[in-house]
Amino acid sequence: MEKVLEVRELSKQYTKVLAADKVSFDIEKGEIFALIGPNGAGKTTTIRMISTLLKPTSGDAIVAGHSVIKDAAKVRECITYLPDEAGAYKNMTGKSYLRFMAGLFSTDIDVINRYVERAERICGLGDRLKDKIGTYSRGMIRKLLLARAVMTEPKLAILDEPTSGLDVLNAIEIRKMIKKLAAEEGMSFLLSSHNMLEIEFVSDRVGIIAKGHLLVSGRADELKERYSAQNLEEVFERVVKDNEIL
Amino acid sequence: MVDTSGDDYSAVLRDADADSLVIIPEGFTEKLENGERPEMISVSGMKSAAAMSNITNSNSGAIGLISECISSAFAAKAGLTAEQVELLQMPVTVTEQTVVKDKSAPIGAASIMSSIMMKNMILPIIVFILIMFTSNMLMGAISNEKIDKTLETLLSAPVSRTAILGAKMLAAAIIALLNAVVYMFGFSSFMSGATESVSEEMTGQLVGQYISVDSALERLGLTLGASDYILIGAQLFLTIMICLSVSLMLGALVNDTKQSQTMMMPLMIMAMVPYLISMMADINSLPAVIRVIVYAIPFTHTFSAMNNIMFGNMPIFFGGLAYQFVVFVICMFFALRLFNSDKILTASLNFGQKSKFKKNTSDNE
Ligand SMILES: Nc1ncnc2c1ncn2[C@@H]1O[C@H](COP(=O)(O)OP(=O)(O)OP(=O)(O)O)[C@@H](O)[C@H]1O
Ligand SMILES: [Mg+2]
């Protein structure tokens, strides 16, 4: 299988904290990989390094053949990134925001139009897209940003807590959308989440990260078997507790 | 004749349809003849609070004239001849000469001063407004990306950080330029009105002895040619560029709206100090230590540019220009480095920590 992402011993040292310590994992084409871990585990830090926003202290990540260190510009052409806490330009309408962001990914007007139409369909905001983003609710902004993250058909969509701030129905809808895009279009996803139910439903493989270490990774059912657990939540609990003792 | 019953002198001015007038009350002559000191009332209409609008008070002229007439009348009564009286009133003749470097002109320095001061006021005001406005705008353009949390999304898009900076700077520079043009036209048409009226009065009072202020300025080499304006333009351009690069850095360090106001302070002081000093004192004649300190502020060179060019202090002007260029290159270098490093984002991670707390509580529910 073709690898979309190869993370090689990626580390990030902040002034005081070692937020990621030699994190390694792969994502294949059309695969959905989820990073799970307690607060402050280093999920966002890892994701930001892969998104070329932060420079790794050591290690590297290869996105579709391009190194995030040497070829950051090329990497950005292959990915989209949805930050965990993101906003949109309040003075723009939803539609003009989509158009603006599409314009950053392509100069071809037909392509831009196709991206915008796609996002309009996906976000499900209907006529509200004509309103200023300043008038949107938090969930509406989230849906707009999610639609924008997948509209450009990236090889790898990096979504940091994609469903945070969404109600149950909207969250389900988003999960279905992610699964559909992966299955039908071969889009790969790197997610992070606290919601084990969500992870179990949506992801093909998960990586459990705590204190900057990627402790285990594998398919959800494999992990459940290995730790003789009922669900992912128990796996998570055991893995994190086991490693605290060490 | 005006009716002055009551204290409402505005009605008096209105009735007389005058900007200002001197009232000689009834019984003025009787009091004079009795050897008392009679009262005159000077009424001046004030149309604006601007210092320049009230620079000449025509009433003082009128009062002087009346007093002069009265004293000569007294003198005549005392038996002095007209010539003696004139000598008494003006015992010496003063011919004023103003010298600039190797040129001189028969005119009072005060007239030159007031004429130049007005012209020199235009540029500093425009520059000051421009500096504040431009830096505020660009800082906002950068810091709002952080405050509204749109920066990360933008930086993950396939556009280089340098290009984003370039676009933001260009937009700010274009708006600054438009503003400069608008202010320049607005102020100069406003100021030229004021300047004209004053120089007319000046020359009017000094007919015969002196030459007009404008021709004196020309003779003293104090007028600005096209090349001078190009130099001033170049200086202004560099000033705006420094301003932009500094605001890039300050904007990048802002995390919330409150901070963005604090971050304006350094720029504000950097512009305010030289602005005020150049308005009030000649920087070149300050003590050496203070002069060096003041000239170390890059914007000082902008505020003193017109003066330096007018009075032929070209080494200082070009030195300032070179200094500003160096400052700009250094500031831009650091701004670019800041933007291409993690720092532009890591400062914003404070938000992440706050939200962690929120997430914890919602997980417990
Ligand atoms: N800018 C920064 N400077 C210093 N330390 C930081 C910075 N950003 C994050 N950290 C630290 O790095 C560690 C990992 O943080 P990170 O945001 O990656 O966690 P996370 O797994 O995304 O957590 P959460 O689930 O709460 O989002 C934490 O200990 C955090 O305090
Ligand atoms: Mg996070």
Side-chain angles (χ1 to χ4, degrees), chain B residues 315-354:
Chain B
I316 298 183
F317 174 82
F318 282 113
L321 209 59
Y323 176 63
Q324 283 193 322
F325 185 73
V326 171
V327 170
F328 164 64
V329 170
I330 293 175
C331 288
M332 204 56 220
F333 172 77
F334 280 109
L336 280 175
R337 248 185 58 165
L338 184 64
F339 264 79
N340 283 306
S341 77
D342 292 351
K343 291 216 181 64
I344 177 83
L345 285 174
T346 43
S348 74
L349 288 180
N350 295 341
F351 288 111
Q353 266 146 16
K354 255 186 239 159

mmCIF file of all heavy atoms in Angstrom, chain B residues 315-354:
data_model
loop_
_atom_site.group_PDB
_atom_site.id
_atom_site.type_symbol
_atom_site.label_atom_id
_atom_site.label_comp_id
_atom_site.label_asym_id
_atom_site.label_seq_id
_atom_site.Cartn_x
_atom_site.Cartn_y
_atom_site.Cartn_z
ATOM 1 N N PRO B 315 24.644 66.728 5.362
ATOM 2 C CA PRO B 315 25.284 65.537 5.956
ATOM 3 C C PRO B 315 24.380 64.867 6.990
ATOM 4 O O PRO B 315 24.240 63.642 6.998
ATOM 5 C CB PRO B 315 26.535 66.099 6.620
ATOM 6 C CG PRO B 315 26.817 67.358 5.895
ATOM 7 C CD PRO B 315 25.495 67.916 5.472
ATOM 8 N N ILE B 316 23.729 65.681 7.819
ATOM 9 C CA ILE B 316 22.838 65.102 8.828
ATOM 10 C C ILE B 316 21.660 64.418 8.150
ATOM 11 O O ILE B 316 21.261 63.315 8.517
ATOM 12 C CB ILE B 316 22.345 66.187 9.802
ATOM 13 C CG1 ILE B 316 23.544 66.775 10.532
ATOM 14 C CG2 ILE B 316 21.333 65.609 10.787
ATOM 15 C CD1 ILE B 316 23.168 67.804 11.561
ATOM 16 N N PHE B 317 21.133 65.049 7.108
ATOM 17 C CA PHE B 317 19.995 64.456 6.420
ATOM 18 C C PHE B 317 20.360 63.102 5.814
ATOM 19 O O PHE B 317 19.682 62.110 6.043
ATOM 20 C CB PHE B 317 19.481 65.393 5.333
ATOM 21 C CG PHE B 317 18.403 64.781 4.494
ATOM 22 C CD1 PHE B 317 17.089 64.768 4.937
ATOM 23 C CD2 PHE B 317 18.695 64.167 3.278
ATOM 24 C CE1 PHE B 317 16.098 64.177 4.178
ATOM 25 C CE2 PHE B 317 17.706 63.571 2.525
ATOM 26 C CZ PHE B 317 16.408 63.584 2.972
ATOM 27 N N PHE B 318 21.445 63.079 5.052
ATOM 28 C CA PHE B 318 21.820 61.825 4.395
ATOM 29 C C PHE B 318 22.275 60.780 5.409
ATOM 30 O O PHE B 318 22.020 59.585 5.239
ATOM 31 C CB PHE B 318 22.897 62.066 3.337
ATOM 32 C CG PHE B 318 22.324 62.653 2.070
ATOM 33 C CD1 PHE B 318 22.634 63.938 1.677
ATOM 34 C CD2 PHE B 318 21.435 61.911 1.305
ATOM 35 C CE1 PHE B 318 22.079 64.478 0.523
ATOM 36 C CE2 PHE B 318 20.879 62.452 0.150
ATOM 37 C CZ PHE B 318 21.199 63.736 -0.244
ATOM 38 N N GLY B 319 22.934 61.233 6.452
ATOM 39 C CA GLY B 319 23.303 60.318 7.532
ATOM 40 C C GLY B 319 22.054 59.668 8.106
ATOM 41 O O GLY B 319 21.995 58.456 8.315
ATOM 42 N N GLY B 320 21.042 60.483 8.324
ATOM 43 C CA GLY B 320 19.775 59.992 8.861
ATOM 44 C C GLY B 320 19.130 58.990 7.928
ATOM 45 O O GLY B 320 18.620 57.955 8.349
ATOM 46 N N LEU B 321 19.185 59.307 6.635
ATOM 47 C CA LEU B 321 18.592 58.425 5.631
ATOM 48 C C LEU B 321 19.280 57.061 5.668
ATOM 49 O O LEU B 321 18.629 56.014 5.674
ATOM 50 C CB LEU B 321 18.753 59.072 4.251
ATOM 51 C CG LEU B 321 17.703 58.750 3.202
ATOM 52 C CD1 LEU B 321 16.330 59.166 3.670
ATOM 53 C CD2 LEU B 321 18.051 59.447 1.897
ATOM 54 N N ALA B 322 20.625 57.103 5.717
ATOM 55 C CA ALA B 322 21.393 55.860 5.760
ATOM 56 C C ALA B 322 21.075 55.089 7.042
ATOM 57 O O ALA B 322 20.863 53.875 7.017
ATOM 58 C CB ALA B 322 22.883 56.158 5.682
ATOM 59 N N TYR B 323 21.004 55.805 8.139
ATOM 60 C CA TYR B 323 20.701 55.177 9.426
ATOM 61 C C TYR B 323 19.336 54.500 9.379
ATOM 62 O O TYR B 323 19.171 53.352 9.807
ATOM 63 C CB TYR B 323 20.751 56.226 10.530
ATOM 64 C CG TYR B 323 20.362 55.717 11.892
ATOM 65 C CD1 TYR B 323 21.108 54.733 12.526
ATOM 66 C CD2 TYR B 323 19.230 56.209 12.544
ATOM 67 C CE1 TYR B 323 20.749 54.264 13.773
ATOM 68 C CE2 TYR B 323 18.861 55.748 13.791
ATOM 69 C CZ TYR B 323 19.623 54.771 14.395
ATOM 70 O OH TYR B 323 19.260 54.301 15.625
ATOM 71 N N GLN B 324 18.369 55.219 8.823
ATOM 72 C CA GLN B 324 17.021 54.648 8.726
ATOM 73 C C GLN B 324 17.022 53.392 7.872
ATOM 74 O O GLN B 324 16.331 52.427 8.168
ATOM 75 C CB GLN B 324 16.062 55.671 8.139
ATOM 76 C CG GLN B 324 15.659 56.725 9.143
ATOM 77 C CD GLN B 324 14.487 57.527 8.653
ATOM 78 O OE1 GLN B 324 14.379 57.835 7.479
ATOM 79 N NE2 GLN B 324 13.600 57.890 9.548
ATOM 80 N N PHE B 325 17.817 53.419 6.797
ATOM 81 C CA PHE B 325 17.865 52.246 5.931
ATOM 82 C C PHE B 325 18.407 51.043 6.703
ATOM 83 O O PHE B 325 17.849 49.944 6.628
ATOM 84 C CB PHE B 325 18.718 52.532 4.695
ATOM 85 C CG PHE B 325 18.709 51.399 3.712
ATOM 86 C CD1 PHE B 325 17.575 51.157 2.945
ATOM 87 C CD2 PHE B 325 19.798 50.565 3.568
ATOM 88 C CE1 PHE B 325 17.542 50.106 2.052
ATOM 89 C CE2 PHE B 325 19.779 49.504 2.681
ATOM 90 C CZ PHE B 325 18.652 49.278 1.926
ATOM 91 N N VAL B 326 19.472 51.290 7.455
ATOM 92 C CA VAL B 326 20.066 50.206 8.246
ATOM 93 C C VAL B 326 19.048 49.678 9.258
ATOM 94 O O VAL B 326 18.845 48.464 9.397
ATOM 95 C CB VAL B 326 21.348 50.695 8.965
ATOM 96 C CG1 VAL B 326 21.841 49.643 9.946
ATOM 97 C CG2 VAL B 326 22.427 51.029 7.955
ATOM 98 N N VAL B 327 18.366 50.596 9.937
ATOM 99 C CA VAL B 327 17.347 50.193 10.921
ATOM 100 C C VAL B 327 16.272 49.352 10.250
ATOM 101 O O VAL B 327 15.867 48.306 10.759
ATOM 102 C CB VAL B 327 16.710 51.429 11.597
ATOM 103 C CG1 VAL B 327 15.502 51.017 12.423
ATOM 104 C CG2 VAL B 327 17.725 52.131 12.469
ATOM 105 N N PHE B 328 15.859 49.779 9.072
ATOM 106 C CA PHE B 328 14.813 49.043 8.363
ATOM 107 C C PHE B 328 15.276 47.625 8.037
ATOM 108 O O PHE B 328 14.555 46.654 8.276
ATOM 109 C CB PHE B 328 14.420 49.778 7.082
ATOM 110 C CG PHE B 328 13.653 48.920 6.119
ATOM 111 C CD1 PHE B 328 12.404 48.420 6.465
ATOM 112 C CD2 PHE B 328 14.176 48.579 4.890
ATOM 113 C CE1 PHE B 328 11.698 47.604 5.607
ATOM 114 C CE2 PHE B 328 13.482 47.758 4.019
ATOM 115 C CZ PHE B 328 12.241 47.272 4.377
ATOM 116 N N VAL B 329 16.492 47.510 7.504
ATOM 117 C CA VAL B 329 17.002 46.187 7.129
ATOM 118 C C VAL B 329 17.064 45.276 8.359
ATOM 119 O O VAL B 329 16.626 44.120 8.313
ATOM 120 C CB VAL B 329 18.394 46.299 6.465
ATOM 121 C CG1 VAL B 329 19.027 44.929 6.308
ATOM 122 C CG2 VAL B 329 18.262 46.983 5.110
ATOM 123 N N ILE B 330 17.536 45.821 9.463
ATOM 124 C CA ILE B 330 17.642 45.015 10.691
ATOM 125 C C ILE B 330 16.249 44.588 11.172
ATOM 126 O O ILE B 330 16.006 43.412 11.460
ATOM 127 C CB ILE B 330 18.376 45.811 11.795
ATOM 128 C CG1 ILE B 330 19.838 46.017 11.389
ATOM 129 C CG2 ILE B 330 18.303 45.070 13.125
ATOM 130 C CD1 ILE B 330 20.626 46.890 12.331
ATOM 131 N N CYS B 331 15.337 45.537 11.230
ATOM 132 C CA CYS B 331 13.976 45.224 11.704
ATOM 133 C C CYS B 331 13.320 44.186 10.811
ATOM 134 O O CYS B 331 12.677 43.245 11.291
ATOM 135 C CB CYS B 331 13.103 46.478 11.715
ATOM 136 S SG CYS B 331 13.539 47.614 13.010
ATOM 137 N N MET B 332 13.488 44.338 9.521
ATOM 138 C CA MET B 332 12.858 43.418 8.575
ATOM 139 C C MET B 332 13.452 42.023 8.740
ATOM 140 O O MET B 332 12.733 41.027 8.699
ATOM 141 C CB MET B 332 13.120 43.947 7.158
ATOM 142 C CG MET B 332 12.110 43.493 6.142
ATOM 143 S SD MET B 332 10.455 43.934 6.651
ATOM 144 C CE MET B 332 9.601 42.464 6.140
ATOM 145 N N PHE B 333 14.766 41.988 8.950
ATOM 146 C CA PHE B 333 15.440 40.713 9.142
ATOM 147 C C PHE B 333 14.843 39.978 10.341
ATOM 148 O O PHE B 333 14.486 38.798 10.260
ATOM 149 C CB PHE B 333 16.942 40.956 9.348
ATOM 150 C CG PHE B 333 17.712 39.731 9.740
ATOM 151 C CD1 PHE B 333 18.047 38.771 8.793
ATOM 152 C CD2 PHE B 333 18.098 39.527 11.060
ATOM 153 C CE1 PHE B 333 18.744 37.644 9.152
ATOM 154 C CE2 PHE B 333 18.802 38.400 11.430
ATOM 155 C CZ PHE B 333 19.122 37.451 10.465
ATOM 156 N N PHE B 334 14.679 40.705 11.436
ATOM 157 C CA PHE B 334 14.140 40.061 12.634
ATOM 158 C C PHE B 334 12.668 39.720 12.471
ATOM 159 O O PHE B 334 12.209 38.690 12.961
ATOM 160 C CB PHE B 334 14.373 40.938 13.864
ATOM 161 C CG PHE B 334 15.768 40.824 14.394
ATOM 162 C CD1 PHE B 334 16.667 41.859 14.256
ATOM 163 C CD2 PHE B 334 16.190 39.644 15.005
ATOM 164 C CE1 PHE B 334 17.971 41.740 14.723
ATOM 165 C CE2 PHE B 334 17.481 39.521 15.472
ATOM 166 C CZ PHE B 334 18.380 40.572 15.334
ATOM 167 N N ALA B 335 11.934 40.566 11.773
ATOM 168 C CA ALA B 335 10.516 40.269 11.551
ATOM 169 C C ALA B 335 10.376 38.978 10.751
ATOM 170 O O ALA B 335 9.575 38.107 11.096
ATOM 171 C CB ALA B 335 9.847 41.428 10.817
ATOM 172 N N LEU B 336 11.188 38.847 9.698
ATOM 173 C CA LEU B 336 11.119 37.635 8.877
ATOM 174 C C LEU B 336 11.520 36.412 9.684
ATOM 175 O O LEU B 336 10.911 35.350 9.561
ATOM 176 C CB LEU B 336 12.038 37.775 7.658
ATOM 177 C CG LEU B 336 11.461 38.589 6.510
ATOM 178 C CD1 LEU B 336 12.488 38.778 5.416
ATOM 179 C CD2 LEU B 336 10.215 37.911 5.951
ATOM 180 N N ARG B 337 12.538 36.578 10.507
ATOM 181 C CA ARG B 337 12.985 35.450 11.318
ATOM 182 C C ARG B 337 11.912 35.018 12.302
ATOM 183 O O ARG B 337 11.662 33.837 12.494
ATOM 184 C CB ARG B 337 14.262 35.811 12.054
ATOM 185 C CG ARG B 337 15.409 35.002 11.525
ATOM 186 C CD ARG B 337 16.655 35.205 12.272
ATOM 187 N NE ARG B 337 16.539 34.900 13.690
ATOM 188 C CZ ARG B 337 17.598 34.733 14.452
ATOM 189 N NH1 ARG B 337 18.795 34.829 13.929
ATOM 190 N NH2 ARG B 337 17.469 34.499 15.736
ATOM 191 N N LEU B 338 11.268 36.009 12.887
ATOM 192 C CA LEU B 338 10.195 35.731 13.842
ATOM 193 C C LEU B 338 9.083 34.946 13.155
ATOM 194 O O LEU B 338 8.563 33.978 13.689
ATOM 195 C CB LEU B 338 9.670 37.062 14.389
ATOM 196 C CG LEU B 338 8.608 37.014 15.461
ATOM 197 C CD1 LEU B 338 9.164 36.358 16.700
ATOM 198 C CD2 LEU B 338 8.143 38.416 15.800
ATOM 199 N N PHE B 339 8.762 35.364 11.935
ATOM 200 C CA PHE B 339 7.653 34.733 11.238
ATOM 201 C C PHE B 339 7.989 33.348 10.735
ATOM 202 O O PHE B 339 7.116 32.504 10.582
ATOM 203 C CB PHE B 339 7.187 35.612 10.082
ATOM 204 C CG PHE B 339 6.043 36.457 10.471
ATOM 205 C CD1 PHE B 339 6.245 37.600 11.206
ATOM 206 C CD2 PHE B 339 4.754 36.073 10.159
ATOM 207 C CE1 PHE B 339 5.188 38.365 11.612
ATOM 208 C CE2 PHE B 339 3.693 36.834 10.567
ATOM 209 C CZ PHE B 339 3.909 37.985 11.296
ATOM 210 N N ASN B 340 9.258 33.129 10.430
ATOM 211 C CA ASN B 340 9.621 31.817 9.920
ATOM 212 C C ASN B 340 10.021 30.863 11.037
ATOM 213 O O ASN B 340 10.426 29.743 10.788
ATOM 214 C CB ASN B 340 10.719 31.955 8.872
ATOM 215 C CG ASN B 340 10.144 32.450 7.559
ATOM 216 O OD1 ASN B 340 9.202 31.867 7.024
ATOM 217 N ND2 ASN B 340 10.662 33.549 7.058
ATOM 218 N N SER B 341 9.894 31.319 12.275
ATOM 219 C CA SER B 341 10.203 30.426 13.393
ATOM 220 C C SER B 341 8.897 29.983 14.066
ATOM 221 O O SER B 341 7.811 30.386 13.656
ATOM 222 C CB SER B 341 11.084 31.147 14.410
ATOM 223 O OG SER B 341 10.296 32.018 15.176
ATOM 224 N N ASP B 342 9.033 29.166 15.098
ATOM 225 C CA ASP B 342 7.855 28.684 15.844
ATOM 226 C C ASP B 342 7.204 29.796 16.651
ATOM 227 O O ASP B 342 6.033 29.733 16.981
ATOM 228 C CB ASP B 342 8.266 27.578 16.821
ATOM 229 C CG ASP B 342 8.704 26.323 16.106
ATOM 230 O OD1 ASP B 342 8.515 26.257 14.871
ATOM 231 O OD2 ASP B 342 9.214 25.417 16.764
ATOM 232 N N LYS B 343 7.995 30.831 16.956
ATOM 233 C CA LYS B 343 7.546 31.834 17.927
ATOM 234 C C LYS B 343 6.210 32.456 17.569
ATOM 235 O O LYS B 343 5.400 32.739 18.438
ATOM 236 C CB LYS B 343 8.595 32.938 18.059
ATOM 237 C CG LYS B 343 9.859 32.461 18.715
ATOM 238 C CD LYS B 343 10.472 33.539 19.606
ATOM 239 C CE LYS B 343 11.748 33.066 20.227
ATOM 240 N NZ LYS B 343 12.792 32.792 19.217
ATOM 241 N N ILE B 344 5.997 32.649 16.281
ATOM 242 C CA ILE B 344 4.750 33.273 15.842
ATOM 243 C C ILE B 344 3.553 32.484 16.358
ATOM 244 O O ILE B 344 2.502 33.033 16.638
ATOM 245 C CB ILE B 344 4.742 33.396 14.299
ATOM 246 C CG1 ILE B 344 3.432 33.964 13.777
ATOM 247 C CG2 ILE B 344 5.000 32.073 13.607
ATOM 248 C CD1 ILE B 344 3.382 35.431 13.828
ATOM 249 N N LEU B 345 3.720 31.162 16.534
ATOM 250 C CA LEU B 345 2.613 30.331 17.008
ATOM 251 C C LEU B 345 2.698 30.004 18.489
ATOM 252 O O LEU B 345 1.691 29.963 19.177
ATOM 253 C CB LEU B 345 2.584 29.014 16.239
ATOM 254 C CG LEU B 345 2.064 29.105 14.827
ATOM 255 C CD1 LEU B 345 2.217 27.774 14.142
ATOM 256 C CD2 LEU B 345 0.608 29.525 14.838
ATOM 257 N N THR B 346 3.910 29.741 18.976
ATOM 258 C CA THR B 346 4.014 29.227 20.341
ATOM 259 C C THR B 346 3.458 30.217 21.358
ATOM 260 O O THR B 346 2.936 29.800 22.382
ATOM 261 C CB THR B 346 5.460 28.861 20.697
ATOM 262 O OG1 THR B 346 6.314 29.875 20.211
ATOM 263 C CG2 THR B 346 5.835 27.538 20.114
ATOM 264 N N ALA B 347 3.560 31.493 21.052
ATOM 265 C CA ALA B 347 2.975 32.471 21.972
ATOM 266 C C ALA B 347 1.478 32.247 22.071
ATOM 267 O O ALA B 347 0.893 32.368 23.134
ATOM 268 C CB ALA B 347 3.282 33.884 21.500
ATOM 269 N N SER B 348 0.838 31.874 20.954
ATOM 270 C CA SER B 348 -0.615 31.714 20.942
ATOM 271 C C SER B 348 -1.044 30.442 21.653
ATOM 272 O O SER B 348 -2.228 30.226 21.853
ATOM 273 C CB SER B 348 -1.138 31.701 19.510
ATOM 274 O OG SER B 348 -0.818 30.476 18.897
ATOM 275 N N LEU B 349 -0.073 29.611 22.021
ATOM 276 C CA LEU B 349 -0.451 28.357 22.677
ATOM 277 C C LEU B 349 -1.034 28.583 24.064
ATOM 278 O O LEU B 349 -1.623 27.680 24.635
ATOM 279 C CB LEU B 349 0.752 27.418 22.764
ATOM 280 C CG LEU B 349 1.162 26.828 21.419
ATOM 281 C CD1 LEU B 349 2.347 25.924 21.568
ATOM 282 C CD2 LEU B 349 0.007 26.057 20.812
ATOM 283 N N ASN B 350 -0.855 29.777 24.595
ATOM 284 C CA ASN B 350 -1.502 30.119 25.863
ATOM 285 C C ASN B 350 -2.985 29.776 25.815
ATOM 286 O O ASN B 350 -3.562 29.347 26.784
ATOM 287 C CB ASN B 350 -1.371 31.612 26.149
ATOM 288 C CG ASN B 350 0.078 31.978 26.348
ATOM 289 O OD1 ASN B 350 0.889 31.094 26.615
ATOM 290 N ND2 ASN B 350 0.397 33.238 26.206
ATOM 291 N N PHE B 351 -3.562 29.990 24.655
ATOM 292 C CA PHE B 351 -4.987 29.704 24.506
ATOM 293 C C PHE B 351 -5.254 28.227 24.739
ATOM 294 O O PHE B 351 -6.204 27.849 25.375
ATOM 295 C CB PHE B 351 -5.455 30.083 23.101
ATOM 296 C CG PHE B 351 -5.534 31.549 22.900
ATOM 297 C CD1 PHE B 351 -4.647 32.181 22.057
ATOM 298 C CD2 PHE B 351 -6.483 32.304 23.564
ATOM 299 C CE1 PHE B 351 -4.701 33.541 21.873
ATOM 300 C CE2 PHE B 351 -6.542 33.660 23.386
ATOM 301 C CZ PHE B 351 -5.650 34.285 22.536
ATOM 302 N N GLY B 352 -4.352 27.395 24.208
ATOM 303 C CA GLY B 352 -4.508 25.955 24.349
ATOM 304 C C GLY B 352 -4.579 25.550 25.806
ATOM 305 O O GLY B 352 -5.364 24.704 26.176
ATOM 306 N N GLN B 353 -3.750 26.209 26.624
ATOM 307 C CA GLN B 353 -3.736 25.846 28.027
ATOM 308 C C GLN B 353 -5.047 26.218 28.729
ATOM 309 O O GLN B 353 -5.568 25.459 29.507
ATOM 310 C CB GLN B 353 -2.560 26.525 28.731
ATOM 311 C CG GLN B 353 -1.347 25.612 28.764
ATOM 312 C CD GLN B 353 -0.055 26.367 28.665
ATOM 313 O OE1 GLN B 353 -0.023 27.574 28.859
ATOM 314 N NE2 GLN B 353 1.008 25.678 28.351
ATOM 315 N N LYS B 354 -5.548 27.371 28.360
ATOM 316 C CA LYS B 354 -6.824 27.794 28.935
ATOM 317 C C LYS B 354 -7.906 26.785 28.580
ATOM 318 O O LYS B 354 -8.679 26.364 29.400
ATOM 319 C CB LYS B 354 -7.212 29.175 28.385
ATOM 320 C CG LYS B 354 -7.009 30.302 29.383
ATOM 321 C CD LYS B 354 -7.546 31.582 28.791
ATOM 322 C CE LYS B 354 -6.470 32.634 28.695
ATOM 323 N NZ LYS B 354 -6.778 33.659 27.718
#
